[in-house]
Amino acid sequence: MRPKNIEKEEAIRSIALQIIAEEGLENLSMQKLAKAANVSPRTIYIKYENKEDFLIKLFIDEVLASYENAMLENFSTDMSFAEGVKKIWTNSFNYFKENSHHYALMQYGKSSPLLNKAYLERGIKEGDFFAPVHQFLMQHVNTGTIKKLPVQVLRALLFAPLFDLINEYFEHLQRPKQIITDKVIADCCEAVAKGLLL
């Protein structure tokens, strides 16, 4: 792909994420996207079969992949449980603060069939993404550091409170006072980590 085409593709994806964040997934159409990106709808359909195909590729390539890279920065499966959880939470919070549009699509992906369709289309099995996190959790289960629960349950206990706090962070951007600070994230992270310890 030529550099100009890469720039155009990046612009289309960025605009799509903005529309999803500001107007909702249901209000994204290929015609609206083409108009906002100042391209013809045909340009978009050259690369994507339809809206669903576009969203699957956007979700995996633009959101999941970049979030995984950011979340795992300076993370090691050999970290102590508290240290590893803190790194995951801090990296995630900082990433989504800087990428609010990505967060919006992540939220839609969790509550729609999009995630499963995306995984099926790409042949992605559970654990292909965020494998180091799964490995980290299972190592701490095996060494008796944390409660023995299925990895899916541990993952939910680790991420659900974090995503709720990130959601509160964005809700409070429009309010007089931001209650979700780095300190609040750190304190909540410590509470979650302690709650999983044996």
Side-chain angles (χ1 to χ4, degrees), residues 17 58-73 87-104 106 130 162-163 166 169-170 182:
L17 287 167
L58 183 68
F59 186 74
I60 293 175
D61 300 332
E62 193 76 18
V63 177
L64 269 184
S66 63
Y67 170 49
E68 180 182 40
N69 288 336
M71 188 192 69
L72 296 175
E73 188 175 349
K87 182 56 70 179
I88 289 167
W89 274 50
T90 303
N91 285 350
S92 295
F93 184 53
N94 291 335
Y95 174 77
F96 285 121
K97 279 198 299 186
E98 299 299 317
N99 296 279
S100 61
H101 296 160
H102 288 205
Y103 179 74
M106 282 284 282
F130 311 108
L162 171 62
F163 274 74
I166 294 169
Y169 170 82
F170 287 119
D182 289 340

Side-chain angles (χ1 to χ4, degrees), residues 128-140:
D128 285 354
F129 272 95
F130 311 108
V133 175
H134 291 197
Q135 186 183 347
F136 169 75
L137 291 170
M138 293 318 296
Q139 278 180 198
H140 283 288

Side-chain angles (χ1 to χ4, degrees), residues 52-193:
E52 186 174 282
D53 181 50
F54 175 75
L55 287 172
I56 285 169
K57 289 173 179 166
L58 183 68
F59 186 74
I60 293 175
D61 300 332
E62 193 76 18
V63 177
L64 269 184
S66 63
Y67 170 49
E68 180 182 40
N69 288 336
M71 188 192 69
L72 296 175
E73 188 175 349
N74 299 318
F75 170 82
S76 166
T77 57
D78 298 326
M79 289 177 159
S80 71
F81 188 67
E83 184 185 11
V85 171
K86 184 177 181 181
K87 182 56 70 179
I88 289 167
W89 274 50
T90 303
N91 285 350
S92 295
F93 184 53
N94 291 335
Y95 174 77
F96 285 121
K97 279 198 299 186
E98 299 299 317
N99 296 279
S100 61
H101 296 160
H102 288 205
Y103 179 74
L105 187 57
M106 282 284 282
Q107 292 306 97
Y108 280 112
K110 281 169 42 182
S111 62
S112 80
L114 177 63
L115 182 61
N116 286 334
K117 285 181 182 175
Y119 281 10
L120 284 171
E121 179 165 302
R122 290 286 182 91
I124 297 169
K125 299 181 295 298
E126 186 175 18
D128 285 354
F129 272 95
F130 311 108
V133 175
H134 291 197
Q135 186 183 347
F136 169 75
L137 291 170
M138 293 318 296
Q139 278 180 198
H140 283 288
V141 165
N142 293 335
T143 57
T145 309
I146 61 173
K147 295 176 170 74
K148 187 174 182 179
L149 294 165
V151 71
Q152 297 88 343
V153 174
L154 291 169
R155 191 179 60 217
L157 291 170
L158 182 64
F159 286 100
L162 171 62
F163 274 74
D164 279 348
L165 289 166
I166 294 169
N167 195 58
E168 285 296 321
Y169 170 82
F170 287 119
E171 290 286 324
H172 280 80
L173 285 178
Q174 307 302 322
R175 299 180 190 179
K177 185 181 178 186
Q178 177 57 262
I179 63 166
I180 307 300
T181 62
D182 289 340
K183 183 175 183 335
V184 167
I185 290 289
D187 289 346
C188 292
C189 174
E190 185 179 346
V192 168

